[in-house]
Amino acid sequence: MSYILGLSAFYHDSAAALLKDGALVAAAQEERFTRKKHDAGFPACAIRSVLEAEGITLADVDHVAFYDKPFLKFERLLETYVATAPKGFASFRVAMPIWLKEKLFLKRLLKTQLCEIDPDFAEDRLLFSEHHISHAASAYYPSPCDEAVVLTVDGVGEWATTTLGIGCGASLEIKKEIHFPHSLGLLYSAFTHYTGFRVNSGEYKVMGLAPYGTPRFKDLILDKVVDLKSDGSFRLDQRYFDYATGLTMTNGAFADLFGEPLREPDKDPLTQFHMDVAASVQAVTEEAMLRLCRAAAEEYQIPNLCMAGGVALNCVANGKILRDGAFQNIWVQPAAGDAGGAVGAAYAAWHQELDQPRAPEGGDRMHGSYLGPLHETDEIAAMLDDLGAVYERMSQDDMITEAASALADGLAVGWFQGRMEFGPRALGGRSILGDPRSETMQKTLNLKVKYRESFRPFAPSVLREDVSDWFDLESDSPYMLIVADVGKRHWREMTDDEQALFGIDKLNVARSSIPAITHVDYSARVQTVHQDTNPLYHRLISEFKKRTGCPVVVNTSFNVRGEPIVGSPEDAFRCFMGTELDVLAIGNLILRKPAQDPSLKEDYTQKYELD
Amino acid sequence: MSFFVELWSFFRDRQKFWLLPIFVVLVVFGGLVVLSQGSAVAPFLYPLF
């Protein structure tokens, strides 16, 4: 038995992943345990969790693979400072202490931390993989493809910001790279910053805001800011950015170009201008991704595409790539951001460092991304008893019937079942569910349960066998990473007055028979639910369909804004009591809000900061 | 010590020996920045800036 532990840490989204004889058996993100969103610390809890899931200790692990190479990153920093001196001094002054105290000695730091888990841990068991190799490996090796073009696009790793590679059997070779400071991820982050959201976490809000606007700045961006070539390669005009030399993403020239100052989230409201800016950067990103994909499909003549890196979480762009048809099959790593680097580093160590073969036709090796900790009903009941919760214990069939009936009655249901998801999306393991047919569900969930901005859309989970009846989608989308339109026959005709609405006012108009998950442009971020990867969730939606005729439920992550998705039953109960969730289905237990002791309620609304 | 061995092999593998003097200068300079941050050494370092 051979074990490899993959780690990502010290930048953002720390995580651990465990391979057993080359098969992914467990993975978890540190934030779920420490309750710090995007926790960048050493993933001690995540490591313990994945080891515990397999019933082993760190001493049983043959190699520990880290997901990037600090020296190479330091080289990039130094060369950037040299190239831009003396302009980069402000950034240098902030970066140097961190590097000289900690990051440059990362190997020693890792060893020290690992020795706290296993005092006999030897340094020679540590391996390092390049950041984009880790991403590429996380995109290709767990995918169902035996041969694929592998595209990774993110902010920046060591030098690379975009890579194009070919995976074939156990080999994975990077063919082309685009280097820092030219980065699609950093471009998107720059606009995230400009529109007043937090970099590295607010990007998906920009994506959600885009359909409210018109891309009237697209040509301006392509004309002045991004030099986009026909093959998708690009260069960013650094006169508009500050990230290479300063401490912010954009500078005054950037604001002058678009005509409005940077939005300050505490005092400036979101206006149509910001929606148009969001629509424009989204359009540019899609254009770049489409060109990259078309050129790669043309050059390599391989029908499969695997993607990872933060930009691969842009599910609107992914949907367009799928519909563009340059590739027949697209597979996106569900933990496409840095957390997935832990999976990739482990796979790269197994197949590249240890030269192990890859089984052909192995199917999707992410197991639906249900790779985190599992809590049995007895354990949950004991924890809830300690918290003073009131619950009904029942058979699994009855629990499903009760939850489906609550959903059909229009209640908001917390759903805590099976193994926790790995990656940023809740996929029916740690989810809040609702009835998509309800015209008030979107607003209720946003304002009373999630405490987040009312413009944010919700995603649907649909039975795989029914997906094409409800959405313009024929393929699997198990990881909620493809956006597709709601099927036309479910659209509701708009009145002239409704058509004339602009911006967020559009949201209050029901646009389909499943309005809670229909965005203002009729799109939805679809998750297909599969009998083989999540039978319990599949049964719940089937039961809901039996009652309502609708095989779709609203699925949003089990948390409030700014909070990591709930990790333990205690977190779930706390979130249940702190929000206006009506029912909690956890293991084979059902909790109803009116039955709970009101003194257990806590004010959750201000506990976590906005992204 | 192993840190310096690894650093040396890094420069060798990457063929970036030209970075070495810059590395030394920046590390010294960076070291001063580190030391000047709220430490007792700080007042003695101000003239250097």
Side-chain angles (χ1 to χ4, degrees):
Chain A
M1 213 66 82
S2 177
Y3 286 102
I4 296 179
L5 178 68
L7 298 182
S8 80
F10 305 124
Y11 296 96
H12 42 90
D13 293 316
S14 294
L18 190 65
L19 289 192
K20 176 185 179 183
D21 291 333
L24 185 61
V25 290
Q29 289 159 265
E30 187 69 0
E31 63 163 26
R32 305 290 163 85
F33 305 95
T34 60
R35 314 306 301 152
K36 281 186 222 156
K37 189 111 170 161
H38 304 299
D39 193 343
F42 179 76
C45 301
I47 292 171
R48 288 195 170 94
S49 159
V50 297
L51 295 176
E52 201 176 297
E54 196 52 31
I56 59 168
T57 66
L58 190 55
D60 300 314
V61 171
D62 301 274
H63 297 280
V64 176
F66 189 69
Y67 86 127
D68 78 8
K69 293 191 172 179
F71 280 179
L72 213 47
K73 195 170 266 189
F74 194 61
E75 174 196 293
R76 190 244 300 162
L77 284 181
L78 286 190
E79 287 194 26
T80 305
Y81 289 135
V82 169
T84 59
K87 237 177 131 186
F89 184 72
S91 162
F92 174 82
R93 205 171 56 177
V94 173
M96 268 317 121
I98 303 166
W99 276 90
L100 293 179
K101 280 180 187 167
E102 192 177 283
K103 289 193 172 177
L104 214 44
F105 308 99
L106 200 118
K107 193 172 180 181
R108 199 176 63 192
L109 180 68
L110 280 172
K111 190 189 169 231
T112 311
Q113 299 277 2
L114 287 164
C115 279
E116 284 185 18
I117 299 172
D118 169 20
D120 297 325
F121 183 82
E123 201 173 274
D124 59 4
R125 283 153 69 196
L126 264 176
L127 299 170
F128 291 82
S129 164
E130 274 183 44
H131 188 96
H132 272 258
I133 295 280
S134 298
H135 275 319
S138 78
Y140 171 64
Y141 289 122
S143 80
C145 309
D146 293 330
E147 187 184 31
V149 169
V150 183
L151 178 65
T152 71
V153 189
D154 76 350
V156 61
E158 291 91 358
W159 275 105
T161 66
T162 304
T163 68
L164 198 59
I166 301 295
C168 183
S171 90
L172 174 60
E173 194 184 341
I174 302 294
K175 300 282 189 187
K176 296 176 182 179
E177 292 186 353
I178 297 174
H179 281 183
F180 182 85
H182 308 293
S183 161
L184 264 189
L186 292 174
L187 174 76
Y188 212 91
S189 292
F191 280 91
T192 302
H193 170 73
Y194 181 60
T195 46
F197 300 112
R198 191 180 292 174
V199 171
N200 276 338
S201 66
E203 281 75 4
Y204 60 100
K205 294 186 186 176
V206 175
M207 187 178 73
L209 199 59
Y212 295 102
T214 48
R216 64 185 166 106
F217 300 111
K218 182 185 172 188
D219 290 343
L220 181 69
I221 297 171
L222 288 174
D223 192 32
K224 299 276 187 192
V225 183
V226 185
D227 179 12
L228 182 61
K229 306 292 186 196
S230 58
D231 65 352
S233 61
F234 52 85
R235 292 183 70 80
L236 305 189
D237 189 333
Q238 291 302 306
R239 279 177 297 183
Y240 298 102
F241 300 96
D242 196 39
Y243 59 76
T245 55
L247 299 171
T248 59
M249 293 303 296
T250 59
N251 58 23
F254 189 94
D256 291 344
L257 184 67
F258 294 100
E260 283 206 16
L262 190 76
R263 184 175 86 90
E264 291 184 38
D266 296 335
K267 58 177 196 180
D268 301 332
L270 272 174
T271 64
Q272 191 62 46
F273 168 78
H274 301 109
M275 297 171 197
D276 292 347
V277 166
S280 305
V281 69
Q282 179 63 29
V284 169
T285 305
E286 288 165 11
E287 184 69 37
M289 293 291 280
L290 282 171
R291 288 191 197 182
L292 276 167
C293 291
R294 285 174 192 151
E298 171 84 27
E299 185 172 352
Y300 299 110
Q301 298 291 319
I302 296 171
N304 307 316
L305 172 70
C306 295
M307 290 197 288
V311 180
L313 291 171
N314 193 314
C315 40
V316 181
N318 296 348
K320 293 202 171 160
I321 293 167
L322 181 67
R323 284 187 292 281
D324 190 53
F327 288 98
Q328 285 167 25
N329 307 301
I330 295 179
W331 192 87
V332 184
Q333 162 59 240
D338 275 9
V343 171
Y347 268 115
W350 178 253
H351 291 298
Q352 298 189 342
E353 200 71 29
L354 303 177
D355 214 15
Q356 294 291 328
R358 179 174 183 257
E361 294 170 15
D364 185 328
R365 295 155 227 230
M366 282 299 290
H367 308 287
S369 214
Y370 306 109
L371 293 161
L374 171 75
H375 298 276
E376 299 292 353
T377 299
D378 286 343
E379 183 194 352
I380 296 167
M383 289 178 180
L384 292 182
D385 286 340
D386 289 345
L387 293 168
V390 177
Y391 55 81
E392 295 164 48
R393 191 170 183 144
M394 52 189 77
S395 68
Q396 195 174 65
D397 287 347
D398 288 346
M399 181 276 292
I400 288 174
T401 308
E402 286 292 325
S405 140
L407 285 172
D409 289 342
L411 301 179
V413 176
W415 178 255
F416 186 107
Q417 303 290 345
R419 294 186 75 172
M420 183 169 64
E421 302 89 340
F422 180 61
R425 303 271 167 265
L427 301 169
R430 307 288 181 269
S431 293
I432 290 173
L433 310 176
D435 182 351
R437 301 166 307 149
S438 160
E439 290 193 14
T440 54
M441 186 56 73
Q442 203 256 8
K443 217 169 191 175
T444 307
L445 285 181
N446 262 338
L447 300 178
K448 294 186 175 174
V449 178
K450 304 278 287 188
Y451 303 120
R452 67 183 201 181
E453 303 92 331
S454 60
F455 72 82
R456 310 259 309 267
F458 285 106
S461 291
V462 57
L463 297 178
R464 170 63 183 95
E465 49 274 30
D466 291 321
V467 65
S468 47
D469 292 340
W470 287 78
F471 301 95
D472 287 343
L473 185 68
E474 301 289 337
S475 57
D476 294 353
S477 174
Y479 304 121
M480 214 184 257
L481 284 168
I482 303 280
V483 163
D485 282 350
V486 171
K488 273 222 165 74
R489 68 193 186 91
H490 299 286
W491 288 17
R492 186 183 148 265
E493 212 167 299
M494 314 289 283
T495 65
D496 288 344
D497 287 348
E498 288 170 342
Q499 295 272 25
L501 291 172
F502 278 103
I504 288 171
D505 290 338
K506 282 180 185 172
L507 189 71
N508 299 325
V509 180
R511 311 177 81 78
S512 77
S513 59
I514 40 176
I517 57 87
T518 308
H519 208 347
V520 290
D521 57 355
Y522 294 99
S523 68
R525 196 178 64 200
V526 181
Q527 180 202 0
T528 52
V529 179
H530 302 246
Q531 167 86 49
D532 56 338
T533 51
N534 196 339
L536 199 65
Y537 194 36
H538 192 276
R539 277 171 64 195
L540 173 76
I541 303 175
S542 300
E543 187 65 33
F544 180 73
K545 181 187 175 185
K546 212 189 287 175
R547 285 156 191 268
T548 62
C550 175
V552 183
V553 295
V554 178
N555 175 11
T556 184
S557 50
F558 198 155
N559 60 350
V560 298
R561 65 165 199 202
E563 181 197 17
I565 296 176
V566 297
S568 67
E570 287 102 331
D571 299 334
F573 180 69
R574 217 168 285 134
C575 188
F576 172 64
M577 291 306 290
T579 61
E580 293 189 34
L581 269 175
D582 302 297
V583 171
L584 174 59
I586 179 167
N588 291 341
L589 313 176
I590 290 279
L591 285 73
R592 294 174 211 280
K593 188 57 71 59
Q596 306 304 317
D597 177 355
S599 69
L600 295 174
K601 276 191 181 180
E602 57 180 295
D603 182 15
Y604 224 57
T605 51
Q606 301 305 321
K607 199 165 177 181
Y608 295 94
E609 279 179 30
L610 264 180
D611 286 339
Chain B
M1 191 59 204
S2 68
F3 169 78
F4 290 103
V5 172
E6 281 164 19
L7 193 66
W8 178 256
S9 62
F10 169 76
F11 283 124
R12 196 189 52 215
D13 292 348
R14 299 278 299 165
Q15 288 293 299
K16 295 242 169 147
F17 289 111
W18 65 270
L19 262 180
L20 204 57
I22 296 162
F23 176 81
V24 172
V25 170
L26 288 182
V27 165
V28 170
F29 198 50
L32 294 177
V33 170
V34 173
L35 289 173
S36 67
Q37 285 186 336
S39 80
V41 189
F44 304 103
L45 292 173
Y46 288 144
L48 292 175
F49 288 96

